[in-house]
Amino acid sequence: MTDMSLRLPTRRFRAVFALGTRHAATLPLPTSLGKPNLFGEWDDETELSSLYVGFGTGQVHLDAVDGGAEHHFHDAAGDDTDTSPWGPGDTAQVVAWATALLTDLQALMPDLIDDVDDAAAWHDAGLDLWVCEVEEPTHLDLVEVDIEGELLTLPWLGAGHVEHDHVDEAPDDVREHPIALLWAADEHRTPDQPIAEAWLTPGTEQTVTRALPGVDWAAVGMPADEVLPWLEGIYLNHHVLPDPAGTILTGVLERLGGIDGID
């Protein structure tokens, strides 16, 4: 079991963005639902954004499409539902606010995602303030976030080298977000031999790891009982603990939506 106390400290990071007019910030949200959890994504291939707005009672997911946005609902357990988890009045406010937020987000892409990645790189370099570049005087928005520290992990100490990749064929109801640890004896060859796997128990943040059968652990250079806790730490850092870019993007979404001051 990985020792979660062996982590870098959480750090306050500030980033300054040029977000333009924040239309969603002018719209109300139902106070009875509390502050929403936000997550945004950008698809390089389609050049479209997605937005996830979650409350304790349910979620609405939105996808940008040409000329607007489409949305669908999830219940409190995260399952798709044909009906809203909220009453008509609350639903209308949530959908209007989320649609405006997605529209604002889409208008800023892809430059915004590049700025977020740039800000995250400054954080990784040990700096605590990033400021966007502007060509002329404009209104700027300050985003302040607390970025959780990563687990302290050793580099790969076995033979050859490793990479990790998603396991696409695993059903989510059995193994949520599974990855495989791939190994190659030759440091100059792309790792392609799966030697271990890690995933989350569905509906939890409990990490499970297992060694795969038929592996020559002597050739790998580390026994399975040392590889598995190492893989768990890598999995937690890359797939469970919030990464700096994602934390900064969430802060940007909260600023765009006018909820960055709500606890």
Side-chain angles (χ1 to χ4, degrees):
M1 179 67 67
T2 300
D3 186 350
M4 292 295 290
S5 67
L6 299 176
R7 297 177 61 176
L8 294 171
T10 295
R11 290 170 46 202
R12 171 56 61 108
F13 184 75
R14 297 178 298 159
V16 178
F17 294 89
L19 300 180
T21 302
R22 299 181 293 124
H23 300 91
T26 66
L27 300 178
L29 273 173
T31 56
S32 60
L33 298 182
K35 182 178 180 179
N37 294 316
L38 304 178
F39 178 72
E41 286 187 312
W42 167 254
D43 190 315
D44 285 323
E45 293 185 3
T46 64
E47 297 186 342
L48 294 172
S49 304
S50 299
L51 176 67
Y52 304 81
V53 181
F55 300 90
T57 48
Q59 309 165 24
V60 60
H61 294 187
L62 301 95
D63 297 301
V65 296
D66 291 337
E70 296 177 344
H71 71 271
H72 64 277
F73 299 104
H74 290 242
D75 60 22
D79 297 324
D80 289 337
T81 175
D82 294 331
T83 59
S84 171
W86 315 292
D90 288 349
T91 296
Q93 285 189 330
V94 169
V95 170
W97 180 85
T99 300
L101 180 56
L102 178 63
T103 302
D104 288 346
L105 176 66
Q106 177 67 24
L108 294 168
M109 293 296 192
D111 292 342
L112 176 60
I113 205 69
D114 292 336
D115 284 346
V116 166
D117 288 340
D118 192 17
W122 280 53
H123 167 270
D124 292 343
L127 304 173
D128 59 10
L129 174 65
W130 174 89
V131 181
C132 66
E133 296 183 4
V134 293
E135 296 181 355
E136 58 186 31
T138 187
H139 176 78
L140 298 175
D141 290 275
L142 174 64
V143 173
E144 296 187 80
V145 294
D146 291 322
I147 299 180
E148 294 186 34
E150 287 192 344
L151 286 164
L152 298 175
T153 58
L154 293 170
W156 174 251
L157 299 177
H161 70 127
V162 292
E163 294 178 0
H164 52 92
D165 200 2
H166 295 281
V167 178
D168 295 329
E169 65 271 16
D172 285 344
D173 59 342
V174 178
R175 295 190 293 162
E176 186 175 308
H177 202 74
I179 68 166
L181 182 66
L182 306 175
W183 175 77
D186 186 345
E187 295 185 359
H188 304 289
R189 185 165 61 86
T190 300
D192 58 3
Q193 180 186 347
I195 61 173
E197 291 180 338
W199 65 90
L200 293 177
T201 302
T204 74
E205 291 191 355
Q206 179 182 350
T207 307
V208 181
T209 59
R210 70 171 179 181
L212 296 179
V215 175
D216 183 350
W217 295 104
V220 170
M222 287 177 66
D225 60 2
E226 293 182 12
V227 169
L228 293 184
W230 181 86
L231 175 59
E232 182 182 10
I234 297 299
Y235 185 84
L236 290 169
N237 276 342
H238 289 272
H239 301 283
V240 177
L241 298 176
D243 68 293
T247 301
I248 294 168
L249 180 56
T250 294
V252 169
L253 291 172
E254 291 182 352
R255 180 66 177 167
L256 281 173
I259 62 170
D260 50 323
I262 300 176
D263 294 326

